Each structure stands twice: as C-alpha cells, then as structure tokens.
Amino acid sequence: FYAGYGAKDGDVEAPSAMGLATSRDGIVWDKFARPVFSGDRGLAWEDGSVSKIDVAWTGDRYVLLYAGRTGGSRGLATSPDGIEWQRVSDDPVLTGLDVPRPAIFSTSMLVDGDRIRVYVSNGGHRTTSSVYEMELITLDDE
C-alpha cells in the first residue's frame, strides 16, 4: 500500500489517495488499476485526500489508519481484501485533542489481538517530541 498524489493543477494541490501494488519478488511491481481508497470531499476533515497511511493485517481483515487533508486527524477503515474499504466512521477517530499536546505529527499502529494500539508523536523542528500510546478501538466494537 502506498500514498500517491495527483498532478497539481496550477496552484491547486491535487488530492492524495491510497494505491495498491503487488510483487512476487519485491523487485517488479504491478500497480492496481485505480486507487483503492480515496478521501471523501464531503468530509471536511478529509477534503478529498488520504495520506500518512498505516495498514495492518489482523488475520481476517486489513485495518487502515490514515490522515485527511490537514494531517492533524486520523480516520480508520477496514477491508477484507485490501481493495474495497469501509470507513469505521465519517468522523476522525483520533484528533490532536486526544493527546496532551494538541498536535499529531506521525502515528504508528499495532494490532494486538482484537485491539488496535496507536503510537502518536507530536513535536517537530526545534521542539521536544513526545510519544503517546493509546488503545484506539477494539475491533469487536466496530
């Protein structure tokens, strides 16, 4: 899985989406013909873009943690095959307000049985970074 960006139209930034490529040897890759998950323009926080993707396999489905246009919030989606995805919610499942310092710079996801643990870092250039661990969702609760 990878994040891809469309061509820029003048000064307008093109939306990003998630693509899928497969390989038998890790050298030659075949791209799926279309993006497998795109941002929804009707959701203000996504605004048509998907980036900063993190995908995990749970044993019976894929789980996707992703950022929208601004990158400060994260959404969650699941898929049985990595091609057809269903959002868990139209709202972000994680925002900067969910961590002690209100910003999200990067996330990493770990599937632990039926729970998703998320590690959130905030901090950046010339600031102190912090990493927070949280349980985002129990898969059975979906």
Side-chain angles (χ1 to χ4, degrees):
F1 297 99
Y2 63 93
Y5 298 84
K8 199 172 188 179
D9 185 10
D11 289 333
V12 177
E13 184 181 323
S16 56
M18 182 174 76
L20 170 67
T22 59
S23 175
R24 292 186 185 276
D25 59 10
I27 297 170
V28 177
W29 292 85
D30 295 312
K31 285 185 181 180
F32 195 70
R34 62 173 173 77
V36 293
F37 190 74
S38 299
D40 186 334
R41 288 205 180 274
L43 301 176
W45 76 275
E46 283 185 19
D47 191 24
S49 286
V50 170
S51 63
K52 301 179 182 178
I53 61 171
D54 193 2
V55 179
W57 174 248
T58 68
D60 65 350
R61 63 184 140 182
Y62 291 97
V63 177
L64 165 66
L65 185 66
Y66 65 95
R69 170 78 68 184
T70 63
S73 296
R74 298 296 189 271
L76 192 69
T78 61
S79 171
D81 58 10
I83 297 171
E84 300 300 326
W85 292 86
Q86 181 68 40
R87 284 173 179 78
V88 170
S89 171
D90 286 343
D91 296 319
V93 296
L94 180 65
T95 72
L97 299 176
D98 295 317
V99 292
R101 289 177 47 207
I104 296 175
F105 290 101
S106 64
T107 58
S108 184
M109 176 177 55
L110 172 69
V111 175
D112 180 16
D114 64 348
R115 296 181 290 180
I116 298 173
R117 296 193 182 283
V118 177
Y119 301 87
V120 178
S121 78
N122 59 9
H125 185 65
R126 297 186 184 175
T127 63
T128 302
S129 293
S130 299
V131 176
Y132 304 98
E133 177 189 24
M134 61 189 68
E135 184 174 313
L136 183 60
I137 190 171
T138 300
L139 293 173
D140 292 338
D141 292 345
E142 266 187 78

